[in-house]
Amino acid sequence: MIRIISILVGLFFTLGLAWSFGNGAYTAITEPAPVTAEHEFHLVPKEVHFASDGPFGKFDRQQLQRGFQVYKEVCSACHSLRLVAFRDLAALGYNEAEVKAIAKGFQVPGIDPNTGEANMRPGLPTDYFPKPFANDVAARAANNNAIPPDLSLITKARHDGGPYVYSLLTGFQAQPAELLKEFPDAKTPNGLHYNPYFANLNLAMAPPLTADGQVQYGDGTKSTVDQMAKDVSAFLIWTAEPKLEKRKQTGWPVLGFLLFATVLGYMSYRSIWAEKKKKKA
């Protein structure tokens, strides 16, 4: 009796699942989703090449230092790097003295050893990049009720990673007349900014890179908006995956070993079982 009831219950759920699937498919065919401005005008990220791309890619240390400079002088006013410590910057080619100087230029939360009260102190190499706002309320108040995301893993958290960040930084523009003609209600609200590379076309962040020469590079590279966007995108690829080069360097020997082990295993198999197959035949 219990077996029959179990079969009937399973059959009931199977029929319910099949009905739900069929009804959903029928609805999708007969009542297609309405066309939206986001669907029509959202663009895929631009094609851009980074030195770290591909199975043999390596980070360009000079570019990473330029990207860090852009982050420090432009992005750090709103965005944090809570998973990156100052000492990690040594991987970009900075020496110990330079890392200490960079850390000292930031104020981080600390404790007064005399009174035990919370205070702010110059950063140390062991500290992590501090948050630009004391809390979410302060962040919302300064950014049109939006909380700027932490950038530590942004290129891993967003599809297309570096190209997405680069496209977003260089994609601010006026709303096209065609969009407003086709979707009159899709006008960008006050306080937001139109960007076709953002999912809903409008975001609270104002264009952070507004003019060539906004950051003065120490290595003589011309700091166009395009160059600055590419450099900071490369830097954020590094913050999201600082062990990228090591992973690639380790991966190739591992693949070679696995290939060799596979061939050796197949040859051993043929050698061990060849005689037994002959005897069986």
Side-chain angles (χ1 to χ4, degrees):
M1 186 66 181
I2 295 178
R3 183 176 296 178
I4 294 175
I5 293 175
S6 300
I7 293 174
L8 291 176
V9 171
L11 182 61
F12 171 77
F13 280 106
T14 301
L15 291 175
L17 182 62
W19 181 85
S20 298
F21 177 79
N23 184 60
Y26 175 78
T27 302
I29 295 173
T30 57
E31 300 177 16
V35 178
T36 62
E38 291 85 352
H39 180 268
E40 289 291 303
F41 290 89
H42 177 61
L43 301 179
V44 298
K46 304 174 184 178
E47 290 188 12
V48 56
H49 172 73
F50 294 98
S52 58
D53 291 345
F56 299 100
K58 294 184 178 181
F59 288 120
D60 180 344
R61 262 53 184 185
Q62 277 195 316
Q63 183 177 46
L64 295 184
Q65 290 190 16
R66 295 196 303 267
F68 168 64
Q69 186 179 350
V70 175
Y71 166 78
K72 179 182 176 182
E73 297 184 18
V74 180
C75 309
S76 63
C78 298
H79 297 276
S80 58
L81 281 179
R82 63 184 181 84
L83 300 180
V84 182
F86 293 112
R87 62 185 174 187
D88 295 334
L89 297 177
L92 273 58
Y94 293 110
N95 58 40
E96 184 178 352
E98 290 172 326
V99 170
K100 288 182 178 179
I102 292 171
K104 192 175 181 180
F106 286 82
Q107 292 291 311
V108 301
I111 300 294
D112 190 321
N114 298 317
T115 63
E117 296 181 353
N119 64 1
M120 299 298 290
R121 60 170 175 79
L124 299 172
T126 52
D127 291 320
Y128 286 76
F129 279 85
K131 294 181 179 180
F133 302 103
N135 50 54
D136 290 349
V137 175
R140 289 184 183 278
N143 294 278
N144 196 29
N145 205 36
I147 300 177
D150 179 82
L151 298 182
S152 304
L153 302 175
I154 195 68
T155 58
K156 299 293 286 185
R158 299 292 186 270
H159 186 61
D160 290 313
Y164 167 80
V165 174
Y166 166 81
S167 300
L168 197 71
L169 291 174
T170 58
F172 290 93
Q173 55 188 268
Q175 277 190 300
E178 183 182 352
L179 183 152
L180 295 176
K181 182 178 180 181
E182 189 173 347
F183 303 95
D185 296 334
K187 189 177 187 303
T188 298
N190 291 332
L192 300 184
H193 307 272
Y194 179 76
N195 192 316
Y197 298 99
F198 194 63
N200 66 0
L201 306 182
N202 303 298
L203 70 165
M205 180 177 71
L209 302 175
T210 56
D212 294 349
Q214 186 173 344
V215 174
Q216 297 297 320
Y217 287 144
D219 64 0
T221 301
K222 187 175 181 180
S223 56
T224 62
V225 169
D226 184 82
Q227 184 67 53
M228 290 186 289
K230 190 173 181 180
D231 291 342
V232 76
S233 298
F235 171 69
L236 294 176
I237 291 174
W238 172 80
T239 64
E241 199 168 4
K243 303 297 184 182
L244 178 66
E245 287 181 340
K246 186 65 175 178
R247 178 170 59 80
K248 291 179 179 180
Q249 292 171 0
T250 304
W252 285 111
V254 170
L255 287 176
F257 170 77
L258 291 176
L259 179 61
F260 173 76
T262 301
V263 173
L264 185 62
Y266 177 73
M267 293 174 65
S268 299
Y269 163 78
R270 293 294 301 270
S271 176
I272 293 172
W273 291 99
E275 293 298 326
K276 293 187 177 183
K277 286 185 176 181
K278 287 180 181 180
K279 290 179 181 181
K280 187 176 181 180

